[in-house]
Amino acid sequence: MLHIVLFGPPGSGKGTQSEKIIEKYGLVHISTGDLLREEVAGQTELGKKAKAIMDKGELVSDDIVIRMIRNKLEENQNGSGYIFDGFPRTVDQARGLRKALTDYDDRVSVMISLEVPREELVKRLLKRGEETGRTDDNLEIINNRIDVYNRQTIPVTYYYDKMHKHAAVEGTGSVNKIFDRIVEVIDKVKD
Ligand code: AP5
């Protein structure tokens, strides 16, 4: 099975590239941001707790997120693999993912991190905020999300470095050009 972690700061293009990867490789998409937004929209207890945290640009607790991932793995056992978008975001989440996949005798194939300069991230997210009204796409929260990424999420790259699974990809330029770079990485680990 092909299990890809698509990693990168807010606005680096994880969602955009996930769509193209799914189309080409037929993977199941698991985005913790989308799952949390569904809980918020459904006004569930989890959603109410998560909304306050997401609106500040902080991270939802590892326990909650790992539980959501385990449920998704349980539901989708017969696909050709997963793309994890926006997860793991802490080293404990990365360990949680490893344990969860081990239960299925499986493991992450590659972790692809999209590298985009901060000013470009801010520009993209401000534009999306204007176009879609996403509540965490305003300057103050965007800056906090990037700071949280630098502080709490970057260590995940060292975790996958140690396992020789981390591939950095330049995340600027056209969407198709970036996708070509990603495909090059995936095709090396695919078989
Ligand atoms: P999440 O939904 O994961 O948001 P994020 O990481 O901030 O990522 P974004 O969706 O903003 O960006 P993206 O990298 O997917 O880029 P996209 O393709 O959309 O998380 C939201 C919140 O949920 C977190 O802050 C946290 O509170 C919580 N959360 C989620 N997961 C969690 C976890 N695992 N643990 C704890 N808490 C968690 O692109 C962005 C914009 O740029 C789009 O408008 C797009 O059209 C544009 N764009 C894309 N590519 C290009 C390009 N090449 N050139 C120009 N524009 C481009």
Side-chain angles (χ1 to χ4, degrees), residues 8-17 31-34 36-37 53-54 57-60 65 85-89 93 120 124-125 128 134 136-137 145 171 173-175 178:
S12 56
K14 301 182 294 293
T16 305
Q17 296 297 333
S31 154
T32 42
D34 288 350
L36 288 166
R37 277 185 291 277
I53 298 166
M54 292 165 82
E58 301 289 329
L59 296 184
V60 174
V65 175
D85 162 2
F87 174 88
R89 262 171 148 100
Q93 290 182 17
E120 170 75 11
R124 287 182 190 178
L125 294 176
R128 185 177 64 187
R134 188 167 138 173
D136 56 351
D137 281 344
R145 282 157 67 199
S174 73
V175 168
I178 299 162

Side-chain angles (χ1 to χ4, degrees), residues 3-116:
H3 300 314
I4 298 169
V5 170
L6 192 56
F7 187 88
S12 56
K14 301 182 294 293
T16 305
Q17 296 297 333
S18 288
E19 283 177 24
K20 297 179 72 68
I21 296 169
I22 292 157
E23 200 185 318
K24 182 167 169 80
Y25 297 97
L27 305 179
V28 173
H29 185 208
I30 303 185
S31 154
T32 42
D34 288 350
L35 292 174
L36 288 166
R37 277 185 291 277
E38 278 168 27
E39 298 284 343
V40 172
Q43 299 188 334
T44 63
E45 275 314 303
L46 193 163
K48 284 177 200 161
K49 271 191 219 152
K51 182 171 172 23
I53 298 166
M54 292 165 82
D55 280 349
K56 285 189 262 176
E58 301 289 329
L59 296 184
V60 174
S61 82
D62 290 338
D63 284 355
I64 289 179
V65 175
I66 292 168
R67 213 175 320 134
M68 284 188 337
I69 292 288
R70 280 193 168 270
N71 291 342
K72 277 282 155 192
L73 296 183
E74 185 72 38
E75 278 168 31
N76 298 287
Q77 284 182 39
N78 300 318
S80 46
Y82 301 101
I83 177 151
F84 298 97
D85 162 2
F87 174 88
R89 262 171 148 100
T90 64
V91 171
D92 279 346
Q93 290 182 17
R95 292 195 185 111
L97 177 60
R98 189 179 189 183
K99 275 198 205 123
L101 286 174
T102 304
D103 289 350
Y104 298 97
D105 270 338
D106 233 325
R107 59 180 60 186
V108 165
S109 313
V110 65
M111 183 267 224
I112 298 174
S113 65
L114 295 171
E115 312 229 309
V116 179

Side-chain angles (χ1 to χ4, degrees), residues 118-168:
R118 186 174 185 125
E119 54 278 20
E120 170 75 11
L121 299 172
V122 173
K123 200 170 89 186
R124 287 182 190 178
L125 294 176
L126 283 176
K127 183 161 177 265
R128 185 177 64 187
E130 278 167 22
E131 287 167 359
T132 68
R134 188 167 138 173
T135 52
D136 56 351
D137 281 344
N138 64 73
L139 189 57
E140 187 191 344
I141 305 304
I142 290 169
N143 275 321
N144 192 43
R145 282 157 67 199
I146 298 173
D147 291 343
V148 166
Y149 172 82
N150 288 335
R151 222 173 31 240
Q152 292 177 256
T153 304
I154 284 280
V156 174
T157 59
Y158 311 135
Y159 179 88
Y160 287 104
D161 266 339
K162 277 195 213 140
M163 290 189 253
H164 307 288
K165 291 197 171 182
H166 171 208

